[in-house]
């Protein structure tokens, strides 16, 4: 019943007594209809909260950009760079495949270095930037401590960064450009890696109140971006962390107001990413994906493996053309923990067709292979690429 229906019924009645009686009855029904409408909206909102994938606030995104292109007002991507090692003359980004980058890391390289003092021919060693991987390791430990599910990150650009070491390089001028002497790999010395993780130090702005155990204290942190994910550095005094309508609640032995160290994992924003495309371990959450995540046991079928592969944004440009039992490919195969399948079925080979080739194609396939491996530890999962 709505207002228009009540109005039409009142116009159809001729007697004043009938009008008054119907008006009283209609008011009661209107209240019932209004209550049911509000209850239905509350139920829909409750279902949306229940069905929402909590981990959607904790996907990791990566990109590269010039240091000057990272705007101070950017609230999505932040630099991972904290300065190169003192012994290194530069940090370079090589646009090549993952297998070619391993060859670069494996031996010395003949390179040409351009500075303000001139151009020099040098023999240099390029080593992986371990400081970036230490940051990922620290973040993963915080995820575990905060009880947040850790998904395999897809940050392939980090594998293309390397610190250049050259003995006897005396000039103090900053390096302007570096290139391989044979020129087979494009090299840039002006790029830095970005990701959607920002360290924060926030203070409890309200007076801490005793927790339910009457021993610890509850600190409420007002969050700058409520839609983002947050993890707290779990010190000895911090006992528990959870989200509420008021913000981030931290249960701690500390009874005084204090600062807490956090990491903000920003959800995706619509911003322009220069130079190279944005990468992420984002997974599309369809209804069947939610059902599979809550299943007691995951099905070991080709359809289920195909569903896992096609659910990731990182698979764009690749097509899964076949799944072969007992096959062995060149991609992956190093992360299997154990196998306990029958003879001839210990391995799974994922066959991919390359639709849009690029220097990250091998990394895309490797990420998907590792994801399938994490779901099926009883197999040794590998992959192969074909272009046709």
């Amino acid at each position: 019943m709505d207002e228009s229906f009540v109005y039409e019924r009142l116009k159809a009645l001729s007697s004043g007594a009938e009008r008054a009686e119907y008006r009283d009855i209609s008011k009661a029904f209107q209240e019932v209809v209004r209550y049911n409408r509000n209850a239905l909206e509350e139920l829909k909102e409750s279902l949306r909260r229940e069905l929402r994938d909590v981990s959607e606030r904790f996907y990791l995104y990566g990109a590269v950009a010039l240091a000057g292109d990272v705007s101070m007002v950017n609230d999505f991507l932040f630099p991972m760079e904290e300065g190169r090692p003192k012994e290194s003359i530069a940090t370079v980004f090589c646009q090549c495949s993952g297998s070619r980058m391993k060859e670069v890391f494996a031996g010395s390289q003949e390179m040409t270095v351009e500075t303000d003092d001139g151009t020099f021919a040098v023999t240099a060693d390029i080593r992986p930037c371990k400081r970036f991987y230490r940051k990922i390791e620290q973040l993963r430990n915080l995820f575990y401590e905060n009880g947040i599910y850790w998904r395999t990150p897809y940050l392939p650009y980090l594998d293309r960064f390397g610190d250049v070491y050259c003995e006897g390089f005396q000039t103090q001028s900053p390096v302007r450009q570096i290139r391989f002497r044979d020129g087979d790999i494009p090299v840039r010395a002006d790029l830095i890696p970005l990701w959607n993780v920002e360290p924060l130090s926030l203070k409890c702005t309200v007076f801490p109140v005793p927790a339910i155990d009457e021993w610890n204290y509850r600190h409420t942190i007002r969050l700058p971006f409520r839609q983002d994910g947050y993890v707290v550095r779990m010190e000895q005094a911090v006992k528990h962390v959870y989200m509420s309508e008021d913000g981030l609640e931290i249960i701690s032995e500390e009874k005084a107001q204090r600062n807490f160290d956090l990491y903000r994992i920003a959800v995706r924003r619509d911003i322009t990413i220069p130079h190279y495309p944005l990468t992420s371990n984002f997974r599309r959450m369809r209804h069947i994906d939610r059902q599979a995540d809550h299943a007691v046991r995951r099905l070991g079928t080709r359809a289920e493996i195909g569903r896992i592969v096609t659910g990731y944004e990182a698979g764009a440009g690749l097509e899964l053309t076949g799944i072969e039992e007992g096959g062995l490919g060149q991609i992956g195969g190093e992360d299997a923990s154990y196998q306990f399948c029958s003879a001839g079925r210990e391995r799974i080979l994922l066959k991919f067709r390359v639709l849009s080739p690029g220097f990250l194609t091998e990394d895309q396939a490797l990420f998907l292979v590792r994801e399938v491996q994490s779901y099926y530890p009883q197999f040794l999962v590998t992959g192969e690429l074909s272009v046709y």
Side-chain angles (χ1 to χ4, degrees), residues 281-306:
N281 59 349
F282 175 80
R283 185 181 68 155
R284 305 177 188 90
M285 285 303 295
R286 300 160 293 191
H287 176 71
I288 190 173
D289 298 314
R290 302 183 193 277
Q291 296 297 322
D293 286 349
H294 291 86
V296 177
R297 181 178 179 183
R298 190 172 296 275
L299 298 176
T301 62
R302 285 182 169 83
E304 179 68 5
I305 295 175

Side-chain angles (χ1 to χ4, degrees), residues 84-117:
R84 55 182 173 82
K86 294 181 179 180
E87 301 81 7
S88 172
I89 64 173
T91 299
V92 295
F93 176 82
C94 302
Q95 184 177 334
C96 61
S97 64
S99 57
R100 182 68 179 91
M101 198 65 195
K102 291 181 179 178
E103 296 176 1
V104 171
F105 289 146
S108 300
Q109 307 294 326
E110 300 296 325
M111 310 190 73
T112 301
V113 181
E114 295 183 10
T115 69
D116 293 340
D117 296 335

Side-chain angles (χ1 to χ4, degrees), residues 126-364:
I126 301 180
R127 304 172 189 173
C129 299
K130 295 183 179 179
R131 59 188 183 277
F132 299 148
Y133 300 102
R134 285 195 292 267
K135 285 181 172 290
I136 298 176
E137 184 72 17
Q138 293 171 1
L139 184 65
R140 184 181 66 176
N141 293 336
L142 287 182
F143 269 56
Y144 292 152
E145 293 174 0
N146 284 257
I148 304 298
Y149 181 75
W150 174 260
R151 296 188 180 278
T152 304
Y154 179 59
L155 302 170
Y157 292 128
L158 300 184
D159 296 333
R160 272 60 175 188
F161 280 92
D163 292 319
V164 181
Y165 294 87
C166 180
E167 294 184 2
F169 191 78
Q170 299 296 334
T171 179
Q172 299 299 321
S173 300
V175 174
R176 300 302 181 187
Q177 185 177 4
I178 298 181
R179 60 179 180 270
F180 288 90
R181 201 168 300 174
D182 54 13
D184 63 332
I185 301 177
V187 180
R188 297 193 62 170
D190 55 354
L191 297 178
I192 60 173
L194 308 176
W195 66 344
N196 61 322
V197 179
E198 180 189 21
L200 296 174
S201 180
L202 299 178
K203 186 176 182 179
C204 175
T205 57
V206 297
F207 190 77
V209 297
I212 193 173
D213 59 5
E214 298 182 356
W215 177 263
N216 295 296
Y217 292 84
R218 177 164 58 89
H219 300 253
T220 302
I221 305 295
R222 306 294 185 184
L223 301 175
F225 301 94
R226 290 189 56 85
Q227 73 273 22
D228 296 337
Y230 294 85
V231 291
V232 181
R233 190 181 299 278
M234 302 293 286
E235 305 166 357
Q236 186 174 1
V238 177
K239 302 301 181 183
H240 185 55
V241 178
Y242 65 94
M243 291 288 294
S244 71
E245 294 296 330
D246 298 326
L248 189 67
E249 307 288 354
I250 300 177
I251 308 301
S252 173
E253 295 178 357
E254 298 284 348
K255 61 180 179 180
Q257 291 178 311
R258 50 158 293 188
N259 286 354
F260 290 93
D261 294 327
L262 301 86
Y263 281 92
R264 176 171 76 94
I265 295 86
V267 298
R268 183 167 184 171
R269 267 74 156 172
D270 292 329
I271 65 174
T272 302
I273 309 298
H275 306 298
Y276 299 97
L278 187 71
T279 65
S280 75
N281 59 349
F282 175 80
R283 185 181 68 155
R284 305 177 188 90
M285 285 303 295
R286 300 160 293 191
H287 176 71
I288 190 173
D289 298 314
R290 302 183 193 277
Q291 296 297 322
D293 286 349
H294 291 86
V296 177
R297 181 178 179 183
R298 190 172 296 275
L299 298 176
T301 62
R302 285 182 169 83
E304 179 68 5
I305 295 175
R307 182 194 65 78
I308 296 172
V309 170
T310 57
Y312 286 94
E313 192 177 69
L318 294 179
E319 179 185 0
L320 181 64
T321 59
I323 301 173
E324 179 181 323
E325 292 187 15
L328 186 64
Q330 297 180 348
I331 298 176
E334 300 177 357
D335 300 326
S337 301
Y338 51 89
Q339 294 84 41
F340 50 87
C341 292
S342 56
R345 303 185 62 185
E346 304 93 342
R347 299 191 294 264
I348 293 179
L349 174 61
L350 306 180
K351 297 182 178 180
F352 297 98
R353 182 164 68 97
V354 181
L355 303 177
S356 302
F359 72 98
L360 296 181
T361 300
E362 291 182 7
D363 299 84
Q364 290 179 276

